[in-house]
Amino acid sequence: NQKCGGRKKTVSFSSMPSEKKISSANDCISFMQAGCELKKVRPNSRIYNRFFTLDTDLQALRWEPSKKDLEKAKLDISAIKEIRLGKNTETFRNNGLADQICEDCAFSILHGENYESLDLVANSADVANIWVSGLRYLVSRSKQPLDFMEGNQNTPRFMWLKTVFEAADVDGNGIMLEDTSVELIKQLNPTLKEAKIRLKFKEIQKSKEKLTTRVTEEEFCEAFCELCTRPEVYFLLVQISKNKEYLDANDLMLFLEAEQGVTHITEDMCLDIIRRYELSEEGRQKGFLAIDGFTQYLLSSECDIFDPEQKKVAQDMTQPLSHYYINASHNTYLIEDQFRGPADINGYVRALKMGCRSIELDVSDGSDNEPILCNRNNMTTHVSFRSVIEVINKFAFVASEYPLILCLGNHCSLLQQKVMVQQMKKVFGNKLYTEAPLPSESYLPSPEKLKRMIIVKGKKLPSDPDVLEGEVTDEDEEAEMSRRMSVDYNGEQKQIRLCRELSDLVSICKSVQYRDFELSMKSQNYWEICSFSETEASRIANEYPEDFVNYNKKFLSRIYPSAMRIDSSNLNPQDFWNCGCQIVAMNFQTPGPMMDLHTGWFLQNGGCGYVLRPSIMRDEVSYFSANTKGIVPGVSPLALHIKIISGQNFPKPKGACAKGDVIDPYVCIEIHGIPADCSEQRTKTVQQNSDNPIFDETFEFQVNLPELAMIRFVALDDDYIGDEFIGQYTIPFECLQPGYRHVPLRSFVGDIMEHVTLFVHIAITNRSGGGKAQKRSLSVRMGKKVREYTMLRNIGLKTIDDIFKIAVHPLREAIDMRENMQNAIVSIKELCGLPPIASLKQCLLTLSSRLITSDNTPSVSLVMKDSFPYLEPLSAIPDVQKKMLAAYDLMIQESRFLIEMADTVQEKIVQCQKAGMEFHEELHNLGAKEGLKGRKLNKATESFAWNITVLKVDETFRKGIIFLWVYTH
């Protein structure tokens, strides 16, 4: 994290007035009347510093110095058509210095009949928000500009606070003790510290030159509003409420649909939300949500960043066991380091409660013919085997009902092995899975079929029933340990005696030793599992990444940490998940970034301990390399846009010393996944603010394989002594919810910290429909010239190459249709002044507002032609509206062409793929006839798999069509 993103450390000093936070439209107006410096951006790429103020009569905006006459260096509020936040005008898009301007600090004022733009840049995002919110409020109230100047005393919020105060004022004198007021505010907002509330009352009383500590109703309301109003939430409320200071059901419905991505929302559902979260009785009855209720709603589980659908089992559980990542523990019996740590039964309780589905039992001979589990480096403490399996039986299926794998490390004598068998049969009963695998099958059973079953992984004797005992090699992990720890290790694996009874408990997880991929693919049975040391697996992953992925399509792989990790530190599981390795064993007792990744990954799919791998890593014929540093064939890359808005209630790092409670927080965003996706960026540092630091910074990441990607948010202290860690949260990409979300931060040991959150905005777009703002003419006119097409590879076998050549044209057609559609959407978003991350719902709402005449009547009519919605002008319209209608018309035409032609193009591609697949079984024979062998034959096989993967577009292509149909209708 020290080198996070390679970005230089920067510091943010809040530019808001320190004596008063923004909590109402009044505050915005007062700030604007006092004025501040803004940068004025011109189309010729020049930027000027100007001092802007709002007239005291609220009728005009003025700036100085200016070469113009004083009466001309102004803009009448009545002439303003629209206020845009961000770099969303032609001036910004065409300005050569636009990349140096922060998106969140830029805003534009569109005015006049031709929508001319006054483009400005504030010195911070919060100042930009003040101007945007204030101007929008003025424009919406232009017919009655003095209404809001009556003050805040009659707003719904103040009326509610008055009733709260009056209820607590038992004497009815209109005043109460400071202690009572402090307690009352703490009841309304439990996250506030008592010292901060008392300080605020002292500030208010000092400003009024009061000596008494009694609090009036007005002072109570003022203190509450300043302490409990989060400016970033207030600005959001004003924006989505069309410049009111509350949301009605319609506002909330549009917010949920257009911003939060909620589908099938109704007015009744919105009214129900208002009734549950609005604090005032009046608001609940009249159906509006004020700032305090809206803040509570945003902090609720309903606005959590984690997709609620993924909190239950949501994936196909009928695939073979080898097609899933499996939550796995290493040295489960340890709760400390593996060198001296004692065995403890609580290690199993913890792992099983966390959804672990593969646990380890290292069993040795104990006294009184009772097998035990112990750390073989610390024999002084141990637990009995019987007590361990009793705990396992109790907790095995509490967190998940899917199969549990027991990785048995057997170091017992034959006599005590038989005791182990007796105890397991007695405790587990019919939960033990001992069915012999069927040679006629090719893959392992599914998690669904194995529900509530316990599978024993271990060594197995030959199938001859007359052999009652025999020698087998020791577990691979033991051999690795011996090699690492012994100076006289000669390379020979230790042999152990195994009894038939224990051997017969092993069915579909028979441990075998890995030799090489060629031998394994020819002779390994699907029910056999190989264990790899971290060191060996890393070497194989680097040297044979494609082979490792292909091997794991059929067989289970278990990866265990290096024997040199005597402190029980953890390997990076992502390195091995990228290769398709299913069982990556982690030291659950050791918290830290690697364990964060593991815990975060297995939160998905209901936390059941099984996560379905991407199809590209499951399909028999598909190409994927774990080391890919570019686009993955057959997968459309996505753009992830994350805005870190603010933090709430950050604690002081636990290990910090010799320092007060004040911290200087910043946030790191880490993307974990395939090498092409790994990235880190950080925000600026906010000085001395742990309660509500405002970051307001936006970041963009390209994600090439979303199904394997994770996002880790980390809050850190930039001015630390001893410890910088504040909190973190790790989430799979597939579990992200779009829109405004709160991220619940976890402590170093993984516990959720109460009230400690990050407030963020999430948007996910395709690469063509997202990314940085660019010149519209360039993006549309040159789109086809710079377009990248996924190339099919030459195999070197003419018969097959001729089939794949037929697919080249329809594949290009498909890409052209998709890109043209996306370019049309980008174009209309730009004309509407919206950022690339905006949804089409937001775009159409903006478009409809622009097509209203000065007398509030529509200038166009909606006409359905062949089930497609066209817009036709009712009379002569300005050039600005003509451009918008032309862009809208192009979008409808492109979507219509895509929808009408998609099935035909798709069928051509599918037919080519099917024709190619007919040669799959004969590929090696055809290659041999053509003289291909060794590396050339392997290359031909790899190219064949690449082409098949590229042509598997039916599912994603159809999803895209459905997506666009919904958007355009």
Side-chain angles (χ1 to χ4, degrees), residues 362-641:
D362 205 2
V363 193
S364 302
D365 280 356
S367 59
D368 301 324
N369 201 30
E370 187 72 33
I372 60 170
L373 274 77
C374 63
N375 184 347
R376 301 177 75 202
N377 297 311
N378 179 7
M379 302 288 284
T380 56
T381 59
H382 60 262
V383 291
S384 71
F385 178 73
R386 179 193 291 274
S387 63
V388 168
I389 61 173
E390 285 174 348
V391 163
I392 291 171
N393 187 56
K394 180 179 179 181
F395 292 97
F397 303 108
V398 169
S400 170
E401 59 181 350
Y402 291 99
L404 175 66
I405 300 171
L406 306 186
C407 298
L408 211 56
N410 171 29
H411 313 290
C412 291
S413 62
L414 292 172
L415 182 61
Q416 295 210 13
Q417 287 179 34
K418 292 177 182 179
V419 174
M420 287 167 56
V421 173
Q422 292 169 2
Q423 291 178 350
M424 281 195 282
K425 285 184 174 180
K426 182 178 180 181
V427 173
F428 295 142
N430 58 10
K431 293 176 188 171
L432 276 174
Y433 186 83
T434 56
E435 288 182 27
L438 299 173
S440 58
E441 299 287 340
S442 300
Y443 287 90
L444 289 164
S446 70
E448 185 67 31
K449 186 177 179 181
L450 296 168
K451 263 185 180 179
R452 302 190 72 81
M453 301 304 296
I454 293 176
I455 302 165
V456 177
K457 171 197 166 291
K459 294 290 182 177
K460 195 167 177 65
L461 293 173
S463 56
D464 185 353
D466 295 330
V467 178
L468 299 180
E469 61 183 64
E471 287 194 338
V472 293
T473 57
D474 203 351
E475 285 292 324
D476 295 331
E477 188 166 353
E478 290 300 314
E480 167 79 2
M481 182 73 77
S482 299
R483 184 172 67 82
R484 292 280 186 179
M485 307 303 284
S486 176
V487 292
D488 56 354
Y489 178 68
N490 60 11
E492 293 184 8
Q493 279 192 287
K494 179 183 171 185
Q495 298 288 311
I496 61 169
R497 301 290 293 176
L498 181 66
C499 72
R500 168 61 60 186
E501 292 88 342
L502 186 55
S503 172
D504 287 347
L505 290 186
V506 177
S507 61
I508 57 171
C509 279
K510 175 188 174 183
S511 295
V512 297
Q513 190 173 8
Y514 167 79
R515 301 295 179 188
D516 60 59
F517 287 128
E518 186 176 357
L519 184 64
S520 294
M521 298 302 281
K522 286 180 181 177
S523 60
Q524 186 173 331
N525 295 308
Y526 71 84
W527 61 82
E528 294 174 335
I529 174 174
C530 289
S531 291
F532 300 83
S533 71
E534 173 190 351
T535 307
E536 183 184 22
S538 295
R539 177 186 64 79
I540 295 170
N542 287 323
E543 294 179 8
Y544 311 104
E546 298 91 349
D547 291 336
F548 214 171
V549 171
N550 287 330
Y551 172 84
N552 286 319
K553 290 176 183 178
K554 186 173 183 179
F555 308 110
L556 286 175
S557 291
R558 173 178 167 270
I559 314 297
Y560 56 87
S562 166
M564 300 308 290
R565 293 183 180 274
I566 59 174
D567 60 349
S568 290
S569 59
N570 275 307
L571 48 74
N572 185 345
Q574 190 79 52
D575 294 341
F576 305 105
W577 291 335
N578 289 347
C579 298
C581 299
Q582 301 89 347
I583 304 175
V584 182
M586 302 292 287
N587 291 309
F588 274 47
Q589 73 272 27
T590 309
M594 298 304 102
M595 197 61 205
D596 293 341
L597 294 180
H598 180 273
T599 304
W601 181 249
F602 286 104
L603 287 175
Q604 61 185 310
N605 202 27
C608 75
Y610 286 83
V611 173
L612 189 63
R613 295 183 312 174
S615 59
I616 199 171
M617 302 174 78
R618 305 191 315 263
D619 294 342
E620 185 181 355
V621 182
S622 61
Y623 176 85
F624 176 72
S625 171
N627 291 343
T628 184
K629 292 182 171 62
I631 291 176
V632 178
V635 179
S636 296
L638 297 174
L640 172 64
H641 309 261

Side-chain angles (χ1 to χ4, degrees), residues 934-954:
R935 292 182 65 182
K936 287 187 177 179
L937 184 57
N938 289 338
K939 189 69 178 174
T941 304
E942 181 185 296
S943 297
F944 180 85
W946 170 280
N947 291 349
I948 293 296
T949 305
V950 169
L951 295 178
K952 283 181 180 174
V953 298
D954 50 332

Side-chain angles (χ1 to χ4, degrees), residues 258-275:
E259 197 63 70
Q260 303 295 86
V262 181
T263 55
H264 311 300
I265 194 77
T266 65
E267 185 177 357
D268 285 343
M269 292 165 69
C270 293
L271 287 170
D272 179 62
I273 291 172
I274 291 171
R275 281 192 290 269

Side-chain angles (χ1 to χ4, degrees), residues 42 68 73 84 95 98 225 229 235 281 293 328 408 414 485 748 938 943:
R42 301 289 293 162
K68 297 179 181 178
R84 295 179 185 172
N95 192 297
C225 290
T229 304
F235 293 136
E281 181 63 33
L408 211 56
L414 292 172
M485 307 303 284
F748 184 73
N938 289 338
S943 297

Side-chain angles (χ1 to χ4, degrees), residues 244-403:
K244 303 189 295 291
E245 294 198 341
Y246 61 87
L247 300 175
D248 57 31
N250 190 50
D251 296 328
L252 187 57
M253 189 186 304
L254 289 176
F255 171 69
L256 294 174
E257 285 182 337
E259 197 63 70
Q260 303 295 86
V262 181
T263 55
H264 311 300
I265 194 77
T266 65
E267 185 177 357
D268 285 343
M269 292 165 69
C270 293
L271 287 170
D272 179 62
I273 291 172
I274 291 171
R275 281 192 290 269
R276 285 186 288 119
Y277 290 99
E278 172 56 30
L279 300 180
S280 70
E281 181 63 33
E282 180 190 7
R284 291 193 292 270
Q285 289 180 356
K286 294 184 177 178
F288 62 74
L289 193 63
I291 180 67
D292 302 294
F294 184 53
T295 302
Q296 289 205 8
Y297 172 64
L298 289 176
L299 282 165
S300 74
S301 58
E302 295 182 54
C303 290
D304 192 77
I305 192 171
F306 194 92
D307 184 354
E309 287 299 310
Q310 284 288 344
K311 291 183 178 180
K312 57 191 177 186
V313 175
Q315 298 173 356
D316 178 9
M317 301 303 289
T318 63
Q319 300 274 331
L321 210 60
S322 60
H323 287 183
Y324 297 85
Y325 296 112
I326 302 172
N327 190 342
S329 163
H330 178 249
N331 287 348
T332 315
Y333 52 89
L334 294 180
I335 57 172
E336 295 177 23
D337 69 76
Q338 68 186 44
F339 192 62
R340 294 190 180 88
D344 193 308
I345 205 165
N346 288 314
Y348 292 95
V349 177
R350 175 187 56 200
L352 291 170
K353 283 185 173 181
M354 291 176 68
C356 187
R357 296 290 85 195
S358 172
I359 57 178
E360 296 184 10
L361 294 88
D362 205 2
V363 193
S364 302
D365 280 356
S367 59
D368 301 324
N369 201 30
E370 187 72 33
I372 60 170
L373 274 77
C374 63
N375 184 347
R376 301 177 75 202
N377 297 311
N378 179 7
M379 302 288 284
T380 56
T381 59
H382 60 262
V383 291
S384 71
F385 178 73
R386 179 193 291 274
S387 63
V388 168
I389 61 173
E390 285 174 348
V391 163
I392 291 171
N393 187 56
K394 180 179 179 181
F395 292 97
F397 303 108
V398 169
S400 170
E401 59 181 350
Y402 291 99

Side-chain angles (χ1 to χ4, degrees), residues 14 62 69 71 154 194 324 358 435 443 468 476 573 646 711 799 828 909 948:
S14 176
R62 298 181 186 271
D69 181 271
E71 281 305 305
N154 295 318
E194 182 178 326
Y324 297 85
S358 172
E435 288 182 27
Y443 287 90
L468 299 180
D476 295 331
S646 63
I711 297 88
T799 308
I828 196 167
I909 295 171
I948 293 296

